[in-house]
Amino acid sequence: MANAPEYSTYDVVIVGGAIMGASTAWFLTDNADFDGRVLVVERDSTYSACSTTHTNSCMRQQFSSELNVHISQFAADFVKNIRQYMGGDDRVPELGIRSFGYMYLADTVGFADTLRENIEVQRTAGAATQLMTPDQIKAAYPFYNVDDIVLGSINTVDEGYWDGAAVFDWWRRQSRERGVEYIENEVVAMARNAAGTRVESVTLACGEVISCGQVVNASGPRAARTARMAGIDVPVEPRKRYSWVFKAEQPLERDLPLTIDPSGVHVRENGGGTYQAGGHSDVDPAVDYDDFAMDHSIWESHVWPILATRIPQFEAIKVTSEWAGHYAMNTFDHNAIVGPHSEVENFIFLNGFSGHGLQQSPAMGRGTAEWVTYGAFRSLDLSPFRYDRIVAGRPIIEKAVI
């Protein structure tokens, strides 16, 4: 990846080249009505510390917002038909979804009522979610301890693991072939016009000033830092999330759904007798952008005991790898922030996905490309996620946040 841009002027500058930036760039190239010049500025071409590479790489339709359900449904369609979406390019792999489903476990009447409310939204949107009594859960998944469980919720249609890395790779590869320019550099400043209504240019770490038609903030957990360069506030901050891959001495006899324990700890099938668990500390502060240090006490005192209680076969396990990553947490309402700023009209948000960004990247990249091209969302109306809801104090309440 080059370090310096080829030109001094671009129609679109995308700040951040991970999954959201790559999706937007590709969808711009796939739109016959867009013929502009696109620059993607990525600070680390290894992507070693970005949220995209620290993900569970799973998708679900079990949300409490119908729009979030539809966003995931498009992701499922895109993944299962990626070669067709990419023009029939026979280099593109045929992908699928390993639909072991998400299993939400409720241990209180109130939580069970929430699952019942959510399933009505999901079924209206066309999802195949099913509620399960403790006896039904035990019959289908004998390895669970359900002594404290009131109700479960699962959907095994287009809900589970998918190869996010392959989709990410092909978005970048094909968009480059179509003329998108990627550079390894960093946007360090932005200049607005005299009226303050537009970003006229961005300054790179190398000192070069680039004129731009529109700017897309796709900088993940660093979204607030990018926005401040344009004099804008956005309520997004990095929150640390821990992951562990472990091997079980006695592997489960069937695939493990991505199980969301009432405690918030989650665990899923990884294949070959291995599993992946995730969680965070009870105190969940914003952290430094470069803080990826592990807290080993969380595994020993919190996560492992919960896993062993919920799935007794996980009493004898061995951790084989572990890491810390960052959620780009929207502290306002845990939902996406997309579309233009209410005053700086050419500053486009693509931020705040709060842990479900990978599965939302197809729809969000498509929608952002539509906004850049037409000044409107066309395929799926993402307007409820626009920034002006934050200014108005109008949160979208999403009950199914992991």
Side-chain angles (χ1 to χ4, degrees):
M1 188 186 293
N3 298 110
E6 185 176 351
Y7 304 99
S8 60
T9 300
Y10 291 84
D11 296 283
V12 182
V13 173
I14 300 175
V15 185
I19 197 75
M20 289 297 174
S23 175
T24 300
W26 184 83
F27 275 100
L28 283 170
T29 69
D30 201 53
N31 189 333
D33 293 332
F34 178 82
D35 60 357
R37 184 182 294 159
V38 179
L39 176 69
V40 179
V41 184
E42 170 53 46
R43 60 187 301 275
D44 177 15
S45 61
T46 71
Y47 299 97
S48 60
C50 72
S51 298
T52 299
T53 56
H54 290 147
T55 175
N56 260 309
S57 201
C58 288
M59 67 170 68
R60 61 185 164 104
Q61 295 181 31
Q62 291 186 72
F63 288 93
S64 66
S65 156
E66 188 169 342
L67 179 53
N68 276 331
V69 180
H70 289 314
I71 287 167
S72 289
Q73 288 170 335
F74 175 65
D77 186 69
F78 187 90
V79 170
K80 293 190 297 182
N81 299 285
I82 185 171
R83 184 178 292 178
Q84 289 71 28
Y85 275 104
M86 291 194 150
D89 187 338
D90 59 13
R91 299 173 302 164
V92 177
E94 295 283 4
L95 300 179
I97 300 167
R98 189 175 177 186
S99 295
F100 44 64
Y102 278 57
M103 174 70 81
Y104 282 84
L105 297 173
D107 62 347
T108 66
V109 172
F111 192 177
D113 287 342
T114 297
L115 294 183
R116 293 187 182 97
E117 293 168 4
N118 291 352
I119 198 174
E120 294 305 316
V121 173
Q122 293 154 20
R123 286 177 172 171
T124 298
T129 313
Q130 299 292 324
L131 296 177
M132 300 181 75
T133 66
D135 287 345
Q136 290 171 327
I137 295 170
K138 192 69 175 178
Y141 303 94
F143 45 75
Y144 285 128
N145 170 12
V146 295
D147 290 347
D148 62 332
I149 297 304
V150 178
L151 192 67
S153 174
I154 192 168
N155 172 17
T156 56
V157 178
D158 292 342
E159 207 171 86
Y161 174 83
W162 58 290
D163 193 345
V167 175
F168 179 41
D169 179 58
W170 276 99
W171 274 338
R172 287 179 294 151
R173 186 182 303 191
Q174 200 174 72
S175 63
R176 278 197 189 100
E177 293 173 352
R178 294 173 172 181
V180 170
E181 189 178 342
Y182 277 75
I183 62 170
E184 184 175 38
N185 212 307
E186 187 172 6
V187 174
V188 296
M190 298 183 188
R192 284 159 60 169
N193 62 3
T197 57
R198 296 182 64 83
V199 175
E200 290 187 324
S201 67
V202 301
T203 301
L204 303 180
C206 61
E208 190 162 353
V209 177
I210 305 297
S211 298
C212 55
Q214 299 189 69
V215 176
V216 177
N217 181 359
S219 47
R222 296 172 183 261
R225 182 179 182 179
T226 299
R228 281 195 295 270
M229 297 176 195
I232 294 168
D233 291 322
V234 62
V236 177
E237 59 189 35
R239 297 286 184 88
K240 196 180 286 189
R241 293 294 180 268
Y242 300 93
S243 295
W244 299 267
V245 173
F246 61 89
K247 189 173 183 63
E249 185 176 292
Q250 291 183 288
L252 305 179
E253 56 273 16
R254 59 159 298 169
D255 279 355
L256 173 66
L258 195 155
T259 304
I260 300 94
D261 188 80
S263 65
V265 170
H266 53 87
V267 61
R268 70 165 174 86
E269 180 71 33
N270 206 42
T274 66
Y275 305 88
Q276 182 172 331
H280 59 86
S281 61
D282 290 334
V283 179
D284 188 26
V287 297
D288 186 85
Y289 296 123
D290 297 312
D291 178 5
F292 295 96
M294 288 295 293
D295 181 345
H296 299 285
S297 68
I298 294 175
W299 172 259
E300 293 291 340
S301 65
H302 182 59
V303 175
W304 186 18
I306 288 170
L307 294 178
T309 300
R310 183 62 58 205
I311 302 174
Q313 281 175 244
F314 285 170
E315 288 181 2
I317 57 180
K318 180 181 179 180
V319 174
T320 57
S321 62
E322 60 185 11
W323 63 89
H326 291 169
Y327 271 13
M329 185 66 76
N330 171 5
T331 59
F332 178 69
D333 64 6
H334 296 180
N335 271 297
I337 305 168
V338 298
H341 185 259
S342 46
E343 296 175 3
V344 187
E345 59 191 25
N346 69 334
F347 186 94
I348 312 299
F349 296 98
L350 191 55
N351 307 119
F353 295 95
S354 304
H356 42 269
L358 198 81
Q359 65 189 299
Q360 295 197 328
S361 59
M364 293 298 177
R366 179 183 64 175
T368 302
E370 290 171 349
W371 189 275
V372 166
T373 304
Y374 306 113
F377 299 117
R378 290 195 170 183
S379 301
L380 187 61
D381 186 8
L382 303 176
S383 297
F385 292 136
R386 286 184 55 172
Y387 178 83
D388 54 13
R389 81 179 189 277
I390 296 170
V391 177
R394 190 178 63 249
I396 299 170
I397 304 302
E398 175 55 66
K399 300 173 186 175
V401 174
I402 299 174

